[in-house]
Amino acid sequence: MPSAAGGVSLASAPAYHISTILRLFIERLLRRQDPKLLDVGPICAENINLLARQTARLYVCDMFIRIDRERERTGALRSVWRHLDYPDKSFDGILLWDLLDRLDDSDVASLLERCHSILKQGGMLVVFFFGEQGGQESVNSFIIEDEGYRVSTRAQAHLKLPLRRRNARDILDMLSSFRLVKSVICGNGLREFLLQRM
């Protein structure tokens, strides 16, 4: 049901969705030898348990909480990217969830440049976006509920990161250093992207 602003009413949207993108991401990840996966948070036990069973090596680095703390401490994000100081070409896959919805354009560029560097050739990146008319002001964890890739959200009230709404063209421009493999628009207005480092 559309909201007064013309977007999707989150009150009427389902509390979960089945993620085609996550299924495709994991299937492709498992074809790689000894795959290494990085999840940038918000971290939740359900995702850690499921992803640790499905990949050779899972790394977690909750950038949401680090960004929140850095903004509170300094008002800027100059040094926060040091937490992603992994060697180049370390990972076969990275889960960014909706982190790009919480950053200004220059910080998005910094994060995507870092992700490009730490992904292996052919490595994959999953990005969720709410776009111009969707999303909630509060930060949420995306919870992978089961191996059927049913995904729900859980509010993270302790995180105070503003939502920055962008149109689809701006989103794709930001991601132009990666090859788009597949994108899906979900019923709640969420856009899911699977991208690949070439």
Side-chain angles (χ1 to χ4, degrees), residues 10-31:
L10 292 175
S12 65
Y16 67 89
H17 72 280
I18 305 299
S19 177
T20 305
I21 293 298
L22 283 176
R23 179 188 302 277
L24 186 58
F25 174 70
I26 296 296
E27 286 172 358
R28 288 177 172 231
L29 198 64
L30 294 179
R31 292 183 199 143

Side-chain angles (χ1 to χ4, degrees), residues 8-9 11 13 17 30 37 41 47 49 61 66 69-70 84 100 104-105 107 125 132 163 171 174 176 185 188 190:
V8 174
S9 167
H17 72 280
L30 294 179
L37 172 61
N47 291 0
N49 291 335
C61 180
R66 287 173 168 87
R69 287 176 183 163
E70 186 76 9
L84 293 175
L100 303 186
D104 66 26
D105 290 353
D107 291 323
L125 180 70
E132 285 181 293
L163 179 64
I171 294 166
M174 290 175 176
S176 62
I185 302 174
N188 59 3
L190 181 71

Side-chain angles (χ1 to χ4, degrees), residues 114-128:
R114 190 71 210 120
C115 287
H116 195 274
S117 294
I118 63 177
L119 271 173
K120 296 177 184 176
Q121 202 74 16
M124 294 163 295
L125 180 70
V126 169
V127 176
F128 285 11

Side-chain angles (χ1 to χ4, degrees), residues 30 33-37 51-58:
L30 294 179
Q33 186 172 355
D34 194 29
K36 291 170 62 175
L37 172 61
L51 295 170
R53 288 195 310 269
Q54 294 187 331
T55 60
R57 287 181 279 176
L58 173 65

Side-chain angles (χ1 to χ4, degrees), residues 70-71 73-83 107 110:
E70 186 76 9
R71 275 207 179 123
R73 191 174 64 80
T74 68
L77 300 182
R78 286 185 221 80
S79 63
V80 76
W81 309 117
R82 73 184 184 283
H83 298 290
D107 291 323
S110 296

Side-chain angles (χ1 to χ4, degrees), residues 32-194:
R32 297 175 70 92
Q33 186 172 355
D34 194 29
K36 291 170 62 175
L37 172 61
L38 174 64
D39 185 345
V40 301
I43 302 304
C44 64
E46 295 93 335
N47 291 0
I48 291 171
N49 291 335
L50 187 140
L51 295 170
R53 288 195 310 269
Q54 294 187 331
T55 60
R57 287 181 279 176
L58 173 65
Y59 295 74
V60 293
C61 180
D62 191 337
M63 290 304 295
F64 285 80
I65 199 158
R66 287 173 168 87
I67 288 168
D68 189 50
R69 287 176 183 163
E70 186 76 9
R71 275 207 179 123
E72 189 174 299
R73 191 174 64 80
T74 68
L77 300 182
R78 286 185 221 80
S79 63
V80 76
W81 309 117
R82 73 184 184 283
H83 298 290
L84 293 175
D85 191 22
Y86 298 98
D88 287 353
K89 299 181 181 175
S90 291
F91 296 103
D92 298 278
I94 300 174
L95 291 165
L96 279 187
W97 304 109
D98 72 331
L99 181 56
L100 303 186
D101 275 336
R102 306 292 170 172
L103 300 172
D104 66 26
D105 290 353
S106 64
D107 291 323
V108 166
S110 296
L111 175 59
L112 290 176
E113 181 180 323
R114 190 71 210 120
C115 287
H116 195 274
S117 294
I118 63 177
L119 271 173
K120 296 177 184 176
Q121 202 74 16
M124 294 163 295
L125 180 70
V126 169
V127 176
F128 285 11
F129 268 106
F130 276 106
E132 285 181 293
Q133 299 173 352
Q136 298 170 319
E137 291 298 327
S138 63
V139 176
N140 289 286
S141 289
F142 289 86
I143 314 299
I144 309 170
E145 294 185 2
D146 53 39
E147 293 182 9
Y149 303 100
R150 178 174 149 146
V151 177
S152 61
T153 58
R154 179 183 302 141
Q156 301 295 313
H158 63 288
L159 296 173
K160 307 297 182 200
L161 301 177
L163 179 64
R164 300 175 190 276
R165 293 184 171 89
R166 295 179 172 100
N167 65 42
R169 182 183 302 264
D170 290 341
I171 294 166
L172 289 172
D173 285 348
M174 290 175 176
L175 298 168
S176 62
S177 61
F178 298 88
R179 182 177 74 85
L180 179 63
V181 176
K182 187 173 180 71
S183 67
V184 174
I185 302 174
C186 305
N188 59 3
L190 181 71
R191 294 171 180 263
E192 298 183 346
F193 294 87
L194 178 61

